[in-house]
């Protein structure tokens, strides 16, 4: 059963039947919003990028994004850069896989972001979402609908963080400005 997350809501990543999840996938999907033009409705290609920043005690120690597809320890992997989107409410356009059992013990938070590399605002994006899946069963655990219509170019989507002996996910959904994850670091720091 999927949980539709609202801003700031947290869910535990414990399995319903007991035990912890071993691997999760954070998926991102979007479509360019159609615009009326002289020759009818047209869509402009939009390049959204998903990134994952790994933190230890509030300090960034690694990042996974389209130019660094695998964390240094191999526990987090980006599936590749999608330059135009298109999946919308269907499948994922970009995904980041996290092997929770391989994440080094000193990593206590992984923050997922999305930014418009081409600089368009989310007012030009439709059907944007991020979702968390159990990678082993492909079961969707949580979905966060990225609100459209904003004049911002990025969003701090969610974080996976250690809680007790397991992991939890918190939907953040905070708008930000920036074309890369580096631009978003001050905004990310507010949610650690």
């Amino acid at each position: 059963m999927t949980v539709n997350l609202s801003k700031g809501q947290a869910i535990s990543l414990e399995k319903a039947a007991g035990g912890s999840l071993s691997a999760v996938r954070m998926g991102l999907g979007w479509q360019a919003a159609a615009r009326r033009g002289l020759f009818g409705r047209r869509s402009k290609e939009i390049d959204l990028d998903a990134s994952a920043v790994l933190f230890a005690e509030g300090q960034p120690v690694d990042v996974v994004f389209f130019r660094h597809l695998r964390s240094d320890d191999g526990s987090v992997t980006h599936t590749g850069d999608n330059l135009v989107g298109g999946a919308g409410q269907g499948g994922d356009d970009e995904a980041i896989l996290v092997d929770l059992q391989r994440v080094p013990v000193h990593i206590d938070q992984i923050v997922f972001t999305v930014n418009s590399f081409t600089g368009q605002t989310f007012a030009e994006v439709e059907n944007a979402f991020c979702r968390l899946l159990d990678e082993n069963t492909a079961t969707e655990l949580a979905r966060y609908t990225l609100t459209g219509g904003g004049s911002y170019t990025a969003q701090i989507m969610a974080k996976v963080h250690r809680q007790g002996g397991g992991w939890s996910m918190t939907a953040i959904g905070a708008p930000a400005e920036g074309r890369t994850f580096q631009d978003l670091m001050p905004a990310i720091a507010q949610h650690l």
Side-chain angles (χ1 to χ4, degrees):
M1 181 171 87
T2 298
V3 174
N4 287 313
L5 293 173
S6 57
K7 185 176 177 178
Q9 183 179 359
I11 63 164
S12 171
L13 297 184
E14 298 294 314
K15 288 187 174 185
S20 296
L21 294 172
S22 60
V24 294
R25 173 188 295 254
M26 177 65 71
L28 168 66
W30 74 93
Q31 294 174 321
R35 300 167 150 208
R36 274 193 208 279
L38 186 59
F39 301 105
R41 295 177 65 81
R42 305 176 79 164
S43 294
K44 183 177 181 182
E45 291 180 351
I46 295 176
D47 180 10
L48 296 185
D49 289 322
S51 302
V53 184
L54 289 70
F55 288 88
E57 297 182 9
Q59 298 300 312
V61 295
D62 201 355
V63 66
V64 174
F65 70 116
F66 69 92
R67 288 191 180 142
H68 186 241
L69 296 176
R70 190 174 187 88
S71 62
D72 293 339
D73 58 54
S75 65
V76 182
T77 306
H78 194 298
T79 59
D81 194 15
N82 181 320
L83 302 176
V84 297
Q89 293 182 347
D92 302 328
D93 291 313
E94 290 192 13
I96 297 175
L97 311 173
V98 181
D99 185 340
L100 294 169
Q101 295 179 326
R102 290 186 57 201
V103 174
V105 68
H106 72 283
I107 302 295
D108 52 16
Q109 297 184 74
I110 302 170
V111 179
F112 298 94
T113 67
V114 59
N115 56 272
S116 173
F117 187 74
T118 45
Q120 292 99 337
T121 69
F122 282 116
E124 299 175 72
V125 179
E126 286 185 349
N127 300 323
F129 66 86
C130 70
R131 64 188 187 142
L132 190 71
L133 296 95
D134 179 333
E135 181 62 10
N136 296 319
T137 65
T139 302
E140 187 173 284
L141 305 170
R143 177 177 286 262
Y144 181 67
T145 301
L146 300 169
T147 53
S151 61
Y152 46 91
T153 59
Q155 191 159 98
I156 314 304
M157 294 190 315
K159 70 178 178 178
V160 174
H161 50 99
R162 292 187 191 271
Q163 186 169 8
W167 291 88
S168 289
M169 176 193 172
T170 300
I172 299 171
E177 291 295 330
R179 293 181 53 228
T180 66
F181 78 89
Q182 294 98 327
D183 298 337
L184 305 179
M185 292 307 286
I188 292 171
Q190 299 173 29
H191 301 283
L192 298 177

